[in-house]
Amino acid sequence: RSPDRPQPLVHVGLTRREDSWVVSIRDNGRGIDPREIPRLFTILGRGHVEVDGSGTGVGLALCRRVVERHGGEIWMESVVGEGSTVSFTLPVLAE
């Protein structure tokens, strides 16, 4: 973390829709160009490789596979310089 960057923050939220839960994870990181987002959900589709070279490129692809196998959806919203939010749904189990 550089001195000119704000303290890293992560917020996890949970909302219930009629038949699903929506989980959202938001950060105040550097953000991602929205055009790069679809690639991040594919195996080895890393972002910001030219900046720091970190990551394996399987994280969000694996999350997508798990969420979809449980009948949910996953998506990301991001603004460069402001941060990103990854959200996913999972069905509500019988009560």
Side-chain angles (χ1 to χ4, degrees):
R1 175 179 173 264
S2 66
D4 59 332
R5 299 270 310 158
Q7 181 70 26
L9 297 173
V10 175
H11 178 266
V12 178
L14 178 67
T15 307
R16 183 167 177 177
R17 290 184 184 165
E18 189 172 308
D19 59 350
S20 64
W21 291 101
V22 180
V23 180
S24 297
I25 302 96
R26 181 179 73 232
D27 68 32
N28 66 336
R30 63 182 168 217
I32 297 167
D33 183 330
R35 294 173 295 189
E36 292 185 35
I37 292 173
R39 183 171 52 87
L40 298 177
F41 288 96
T42 63
I43 295 291
L44 305 179
R46 300 185 300 172
H48 299 297
V49 174
E50 68 282 354
V51 175
D52 62 16
S54 65
T56 61
V58 298
L60 287 174
L62 181 59
C63 291
R64 177 181 172 198
R65 180 174 259 171
V66 170
V67 167
E68 289 178 350
R69 287 196 179 184
H70 285 87
E73 299 176 68
I74 189 168
W75 65 95
M76 175 187 270
E77 298 167 325
S78 188
V79 176
V80 175
E82 294 183 21
S84 302
T85 303
V86 175
S87 302
F88 62 91
T89 62
L90 292 173
V92 172
L93 300 177
E95 296 180 31

